[in-house]
Amino acid sequence: MNSIFKYLKSKLHVLLFLLLEILSIISIIRFNTYQTAFYYSNTRKLSLSLHEANSSIFDYFGLYTKNQALYNENIDLRRKLRSNYVVESKKIFEINDTVYKQRYKYFPAQVITNSTNRQNNFITINRGKSSGIEKGMGVFCPEGVVGTIVEVSDNYSIAVSVLNTEGFKVVPKIKELNDTKGTVNWNGKDPNYLNLENINKYEPLKVGYHIVTSPYSKNFPENVPIGVIESLKSRTTETFYDIKVKSSVNFGKIQTVYIVIDLFKDEIEKLEAELNKKNLNVK
Amino acid sequence: MILSILKYFALFFLIVIVQLFVLNNIFIGNYYGFLFQPQLIVMFVLLLPSSMQHSWLILVSFLAGFLFDVFFQSWGIHAAACTLIGFTRHYATRDIENVIGARDEDNQIWTSKKGQVWKWTYFLTFTAIYHFLFLLIESHGHNFFTRLLPSFVCSTLIAFVLILLLENLIYKPARN
């Protein structure tokens, strides 16, 4: 018995190595994708405050582009103002306020950490549970879709970026055809380009068509831009197009984002849950 | 003893700050950004004193990697790679000897008798292993030839040059 202990003691470093390696591998497997991010929330405070200092410095370098984006968005909104329009019809009509009910609310937030050079990129945002943020909410910036929230702590949240080979999903619509089709993917290479897949090659698509979010997407309002079709290839052996989409967002320069809060989400989920109870899967 | 521990703490935070404020902000959003992923933490593990006991070396490397993971939200990747480097580098540095005239508190790797060429191979080999592991785990092995390999070669070389530069800035070989 004694000799066993002696032997084990002489091999202590190997045991320690194996133990620590197994620990880290478990943490890779369990946590690495994204449920993870706030597991060690206390140890994160220091790191997040450093990241915040970092983003506050680099924010200044992007002020010009940020201004430009806000300016464009402002003009877009101004075009939609009711005061731009004159009533031409002489008929009397009534406006019933209750026709419209608010569905989406938006929260502004700052991006603290951001990366584009990995194959699974995430974004940390300085809003959390205390602002009413929940998992699954959409994140977009003035230029277009950025990602969806996957993890929330009290004051911060993590979003999976569109630049993610695994986690991000959005339902795309082709604006010119007004048709919901295909899936948007990122192949893990160029952060400026996305792929649009599963679109039949007999669809009348053209270069320059806009890809936006569809009304069927659960976490985004309709018509948030995703990108513009840059090239179309159809091969004789395949039934689907090879479509390259130029992303409308410059992911290296995201600083201010909006988080979408869908006020009808609970109601929709409740309905779907009832159907799922009857084994009718709604997706 | 305490002074050298403090020195290593300072080194660790210097590495975190360089990684966070400089390396992670260059080429962000760029097409070739994926080529530029040097992970400086490997430098910390490689510069730990060679007189350390093997078990302590492994433990300290693991902790350094773990802290790096906490800072950069890469759960366990740095910890796994650092532990492996900590375990294997002992065999490369255990028979190291200081040059005559070097003080005890000098970094033994810096003042080793084996000379420049040994030091460069030591850094390059372990940096390469580290980056290969890191990139492989991080990307789950997807896009091996188109993305992982070029990224591995570039990041290793960049990290190697950075380590040599930083080392020259930090460690002045003090001799009697």
Side-chain angles (χ1 to χ4, degrees):
Chain A
M1 198 65 191
N2 212 4
S3 61
I4 292 175
F5 279 127
K6 252 184 193 167
Y7 179 74
L8 280 183
K9 208 177 173 188
S10 73
K11 292 284 175 208
L12 183 69
H13 55 275
V14 180
L15 290 178
L16 188 71
F17 166 66
L18 287 177
L19 177 81
L20 294 177
E21 200 68 33
I22 288 168
L23 254 179
S24 26
I25 287 170
I26 288 174
S27 96
I28 288 171
I29 294 166
R30 270 203 63 196
F31 300 131
N32 200 35
T33 22
Y34 35 75
Q35 303 92 347
T36 81
F38 280 97
Y39 194 70
Y40 308 93
S41 58
N42 286 325
T43 42
R44 289 184 57 79
K45 274 180 190 155
L46 174 68
S47 96
L48 279 175
S49 60
L50 261 180
H51 278 297
E52 229 163 328
N54 177 27
S55 81
S56 71
I57 292 169
F58 283 89
D59 268 1
Y60 287 103
F61 298 117
L63 279 183
Y64 177 74
T65 43
K66 199 154 97 180
N67 260 340
Q68 213 67 17
L70 287 176
Y71 171 77
N72 287 340
E73 197 189 27
N74 224 0
I75 284 217
D76 257 9
L77 294 175
R78 199 169 271 274
R79 280 186 192 130
K80 290 173 188 160
L81 278 181
R82 178 174 280 185
S83 57
N84 291 346
Y85 300 93
V86 182
V87 182
E88 276 195 332
S89 160
K90 295 276 175 345
K91 285 178 189 166
I92 297 167
F93 62 92
E94 283 180 352
I95 298 170
N96 190 353
D97 298 57
T98 51
V99 167
Y100 294 101
K101 199 172 173 189
Q102 189 179 12
R103 174 161 181 195
Y104 296 108
K105 259 174 143 183
Y106 305 104
F107 259 117
Q110 290 286 330
V111 172
I112 301 173
T113 69
N114 178 21
S115 70
T116 59
N117 57 1
R118 306 218 170 137
Q119 294 202 27
N120 296 304
N121 295 295
F122 295 96
I123 296 166
T124 315
I125 294 164
N126 70 344
R127 293 265 184 181
K129 267 180 213 153
S130 54
S131 317
I133 310 297
E134 286 168 17
K135 281 184 199 178
M137 287 175 175
V139 180
F140 68 98
C141 66
E143 292 97 348
V145 172
V146 172
T148 43
I149 304 273
V150 283
E151 204 60 34
V152 193
S153 79
D154 281 346
N155 294 311
Y156 297 97
S157 48
I158 285 189
V160 46
S161 162
V162 177
L163 305 181
N164 198 304
T165 48
E166 287 166 4
F168 182 77
K169 286 204 174 52
V170 67
V171 188
K173 185 180 88 171
I174 295 144
K175 199 177 178 187
E176 278 75 5
L177 304 177
N178 201 8
D179 199 357
T180 298
K181 273 204 162 63
T183 47
V184 171
N185 272 328
W186 187 54
N187 62 2
K189 286 174 189 161
D190 191 341
N192 295 314
Y193 290 95
L194 307 168
N195 291 346
L196 188 61
E197 288 170 357
N198 297 335
I199 292 194
N200 195 313
K201 68 179 175 187
Y202 300 108
E203 293 287 337
L205 283 186
K206 275 180 194 160
V207 172
Y209 276 14
H210 292 77
I211 311 296
V212 293
T213 52
S214 140
Y216 306 142
S217 45
K218 279 180 184 165
N219 29 27
F220 287 100
E222 200 182 345
N223 289 334
V224 180
I226 296 172
V228 182
I229 296 183
E230 173 117 344
S231 73
L232 274 173
K233 277 177 205 155
S234 57
R235 293 196 191 121
T236 42
T237 49
E238 284 173 25
T239 47
F240 297 121
Y241 270 128
D242 235 2
I243 307 174
K244 208 172 169 190
V245 175
K246 173 100 173 70
S247 166
S248 54
V249 180
N250 184 346
F251 286 94
K253 289 188 176 158
I254 315 167
Q255 287 165 355
T256 324
V257 291
Y258 306 122
I259 300 169
V260 188
I261 296 181
D262 186 352
L263 299 172
F264 289 177
K265 193 183 167 201
D266 287 344
E267 203 177 325
I268 294 171
E269 277 179 0
K270 212 172 147 191
L271 261 178
E272 287 178 356
E274 269 174 31
L275 275 181
N276 284 341
K277 259 186 218 165
K278 297 170 190 166
N279 289 330
L280 295 165
N281 280 317
V282 182
K283 272 292 159 198
Chain B
M1 178 72 180
I2 292 174
L3 191 71
S4 72
I5 291 176
L6 280 179
K7 264 186 193 169
Y8 277 99
F9 264 107
L11 175 64
F12 181 79
F13 278 102
L14 178 81
I15 286 173
V16 167
I17 281 165
V18 169
Q19 182 83 43
L20 177 70
F21 284 84
V22 184
L23 300 184
N24 284 3
N25 283 312
I26 300 178
F27 297 128
I28 188 164
N30 194 305
Y31 173 42
Y32 295 106
F34 71 90
L35 293 174
F36 191 85
Q37 299 188 57
Q39 307 295 324
L40 266 193
I41 186 65
V42 64
M43 174 184 175
F44 180 81
V45 179
L46 291 181
L47 282 181
L48 286 171
S50 55
S51 55
M52 244 171 150
Q53 262 184 32
H54 199 175
S55 308
W56 277 108
L57 190 63
I58 294 168
L59 197 66
V60 171
S61 332
F62 171 77
L63 285 179
F66 178 77
L67 269 179
F68 216 63
D69 278 334
V70 172
F71 272 103
F72 296 101
Q73 301 162 20
S74 50
W75 302 92
I77 302 180
H78 287 296
C82 277
T83 318
L84 186 83
I85 297 291
F87 178 70
T88 45
R89 67 146 269 201
H90 176 77
Y91 300 105
T93 58
R94 63 183 162 179
D95 54 349
I96 214 169
E97 275 178 17
N98 270 357
V99 275
I100 300 157
R103 292 182 309 198
D104 283 349
E105 65 262 29
D106 281 344
N107 188 285
Q108 289 141 322
I109 286 150
W110 179 254
T111 56
S112 97
K113 235 179 194 174
K114 294 184 175 175
Q116 288 288 327
V117 179
W118 175 83
K119 203 173 74 183
W120 287 12
T121 15
Y122 168 70
F123 278 130
L124 196 58
T125 324
F126 284 104
T127 315
I129 297 174
Y130 190 91
H131 282 85
F132 186 73
L133 271 178
F134 172 78
L135 293 168
L136 189 71
I137 304 174
E138 195 255 340
S139 64
H140 304 245
H142 294 317
N143 298 331
F144 190 87
F145 290 106
T146 52
R147 194 182 153 105
L148 204 149
L149 275 187
S151 166
F152 157 68
V153 173
C154 288
S155 306
T156 307
L157 288 179
I158 292 163
F160 176 64
V161 172
L162 277 176
I163 287 172
L164 287 189
L165 276 177
L166 269 178
E167 212 206 337
N168 272 301
L169 286 178
I170 299 161
Y171 288 105
K172 292 276 178 330
R175 288 180 193 167
N176 288 333

